[in-house]
Amino acid sequence: SEIRSNGADAKTMVFKTKDGKALAPFRAGQYISVSVPIGGTMTTRSYSLCSSPEWAKRGEYNITVKRDDAGFVSPYIQDNWTAGHEVTISGPQGHLYYERLRDAKKVVALAGGSGITPFMAMAYAIRDGHEDFDLTILYGSRQEEGIVYKKELDEICAACDKVHVV
């Protein structure tokens, strides 16, 4: 439904259901698989959900696609998808999420570039009250203008004392 620039070479794709109904609930840190038909070939790529689990209730998922000019799918998505483009996705998958019975109350996450996306969902989930743990993200970027989700991370850190970004 919307495409937003995010850093120098990344775009956030906002998916919404046609009817506004809820999407499958997910745990912050999970991913979806996206089916992309390119030139008669159906390809599938997995992208971490980088939105709040709360937003699934209103029928919204977000993913962020970083352009890799040597890649096959990311340039296609960035150059061809527009708002209103219909996309086929899987339900939420994966086990990179906080589990209170398994994980310590204080979590340190390491991320670089677009690898911030699962931790972005965790930061939103903590802020929105879906998760209850302390998250410190050690985040690297080659250039300041390439920092994906810089504004949003700054806002979450200012609003929530359980999320810290270094």
Side-chain angles (χ1 to χ4, degrees), residues 30-105:
Q30 289 190 297
Y31 64 89
I32 57 172
S33 293
V34 179
S35 297
V36 184
I38 302 174
T41 300
M42 182 62 73
T43 61
T44 303
R45 293 294 185 273
S46 297
Y47 292 98
S48 294
L49 290 161
C50 50
S51 46
S52 171
E54 183 69 23
W55 303 351
K57 293 177 185 176
R58 65 182 191 214
E60 180 179 330
Y61 287 161
N62 291 192
I63 63 168
T64 296
V65 178
K66 184 173 176 147
R67 182 180 205 91
D68 176 1
D69 286 323
F72 183 59
V73 175
S74 69
Y76 180 85
I77 288 173
Q78 286 204 0
D79 294 342
N80 293 283
W81 284 11
T82 58
H85 185 91
E86 289 191 20
V87 179
T88 300
I89 62 173
S90 71
Q93 303 172 61
H95 302 284
L96 178 71
Y97 51 79
Y98 179 77
E99 179 55 61
R100 70 177 184 81
L101 295 175
R102 172 192 68 201
D103 301 323
K105 186 80 168 163

Side-chain angles (χ1 to χ4, degrees), residues 98-120:
Y98 179 77
E99 179 55 61
R100 70 177 184 81
L101 295 175
R102 172 192 68 201
D103 301 323
K105 186 80 168 163
K106 294 181 185 263
V107 173
V108 176
L110 300 173
S114 62
I116 191 65
T117 54
F119 306 117
M120 192 69 221

Side-chain angles (χ1 to χ4, degrees), residues 5 29 40 50 88 109 111 126 128 134 139 142 154 156-157 160 162:
S5 291
C50 50
T88 300
I126 293 167
D128 294 347
D134 293 324
Y139 180 36
R142 290 187 184 125
D154 288 345
I156 291 170
C157 289
C160 178
K162 292 184 175 188

